[in-house]
Amino acid sequence: MPRALITGGSAGLGRALAAGLVARDWDVILTGRDEHRLAAVARELGRRVTPLAGDVTDAGHRSAIAASITDGLDLLVNNASTLGLSPLRPVLELDDQVLRDVWETNVVAPAALIRTLRPYLEPGAAVINLTSDAAVDHYETWGAYAASKVALEHLTLTLAAEEPGLRWWVVDPGDMRTQMHQDAFPGQDISDRPLPESVVPGFLALLDDRPPSGRYRAAELVPANAGA
Ligand SMILES: NC(=O)c1ccc[n+]([C@@H]2O[C@H](COP(=O)([O-])OP(=O)(O)OC[C@H]3O[C@@H](n4cnc5c(N)ncnc54)[C@H](OP(=O)(O)O)[C@@H]3O)[C@@H](O)[C@H]2O)c1
């Protein structure tokens, strides 16, 4: 059976994607900081899921992930991410620590996890790094998060040039009704945003079709007959 690791798998998109992979008989390692929430999701999704609690910014946690892998990985999804603060603030009002925290979680940790897990990635394995439309457009108050996603995109596509034996995809999932999105719009009604489950078919199509390494929007990947 194919094997995946998803960081930040206890909620939102990571949890939805894990459910989608398990339904296709993948074995999935899920990470997240809140051990109890992660264990509850693992119980819900069944025996194919292995929870591994920890913070992606912690090198010890990343080593523990590597130590837990016995048979190699076919897919690594760097999904865990942070906005830095809520409500979001203009660039000139961001202190150094917020900038460092965002960089550490959204850029340094995925790059370090890829480096740590490179020996475990099977030939032809895929790496999916989550990005955002904020990496393309320039929205007021989104500067720190957006800049970190730009950096993650650039690292990913550089890796595509350096390691052509693997697939390297950056994927913008689009707006989703999750805690991160609510944190970006505190106090606002976000019930019109689609649930993360709605974009999972796009990720599954990516795995089926294996297009070249590059940047993709989940909405464009969904097969025309998805959900029919
Ligand atoms: N939601 C949107 O509208 C949207 C739009 C564009 C892109 N994205 C991207 O999509 C991805 C998923 O976002 P989401 O909205 O699904 O987020 P979410 O609902 O807030 O879930 C985040 C998940 O990551 C975990 N996590 C957060 N920080 C972590 C850390 N340092 N170490 C390990 N786990 C961590 C959380 O669990 P713990 O808190 O327990 O650690 C949780 O399981 C992110 O990369 C985000 O940038 C989201």
Side-chain angles (χ1 to χ4, degrees):
M1 292 304 160
R3 292 173 295 273
L5 167 71
I6 303 175
T7 67
S10 58
L13 176 61
R15 177 181 170 283
L17 186 54
L21 292 177
V22 166
R24 287 181 160 211
D25 286 336
W26 283 64
D27 291 319
V28 183
I29 301 170
L30 286 186
T31 81
R33 293 165 300 181
D34 182 331
E35 186 177 359
H36 300 294
R37 182 165 68 154
L38 187 65
V41 168
R43 275 195 303 277
E44 176 199 335
L45 296 183
R47 64 179 177 79
R48 290 201 173 282
V49 170
T50 303
L52 205 55
D55 188 323
V56 288
T57 65
D58 174 2
H61 171 59
R62 296 193 296 263
S63 297
I65 292 172
S68 77
I69 297 170
T70 48
D71 292 322
L73 278 181
D74 302 288
L75 174 65
L76 164 61
V77 184
N78 282 301
N79 168 74
S81 183
T82 184
L83 294 169
L85 75 179
S86 171
L88 296 168
R89 303 298 309 164
V91 173
L92 293 183
E93 296 177 23
L94 299 175
D95 66 33
D96 294 356
Q97 196 53 51
V98 169
L99 290 166
R100 286 195 189 96
D101 288 347
V102 171
W103 208 257
E104 194 71 30
T105 303
N106 298 357
V107 184
V108 177
L113 189 58
I114 290 166
R115 191 179 63 240
T116 302
L117 297 186
R118 178 64 187 91
Y120 303 90
L121 292 169
E122 298 286 358
V127 177
I128 298 178
N129 290 336
L130 269 298
T131 187
S132 164
D133 62 329
V136 177
D137 294 313
H138 301 94
Y139 305 123
E140 290 173 36
T141 73
W142 285 78
Y145 170 84
S148 73
K149 292 296 191 182
V150 173
L152 182 61
E153 288 195 16
H154 201 101
L155 282 177
T156 309
L157 299 186
T158 303
L159 280 158
E162 293 171 347
E163 299 275 341
L166 303 181
R167 284 289 198 278
W168 300 91
W169 297 312
V170 273
V171 180
D172 169 11
D175 287 355
M176 300 175 294
R177 197 187 320 163
T178 67
Q179 187 59 51
M180 172 179 276
H181 199 85
Q182 186 68 75
D183 290 344
F185 300 98
Q188 291 188 34
D189 179 8
I190 63 164
S191 61
D192 61 338
R193 272 60 151 197
L195 289 170
E197 284 74 11
S198 69
V199 300
V200 170
F203 286 82
L204 298 179
L206 196 60
L207 295 171
D208 288 341
D209 298 344
R210 297 182 58 82
S213 297
R215 186 187 201 278
Y216 295 90
R217 292 178 57 239
E220 294 166 346
L221 295 166
V222 182
N225 62 351

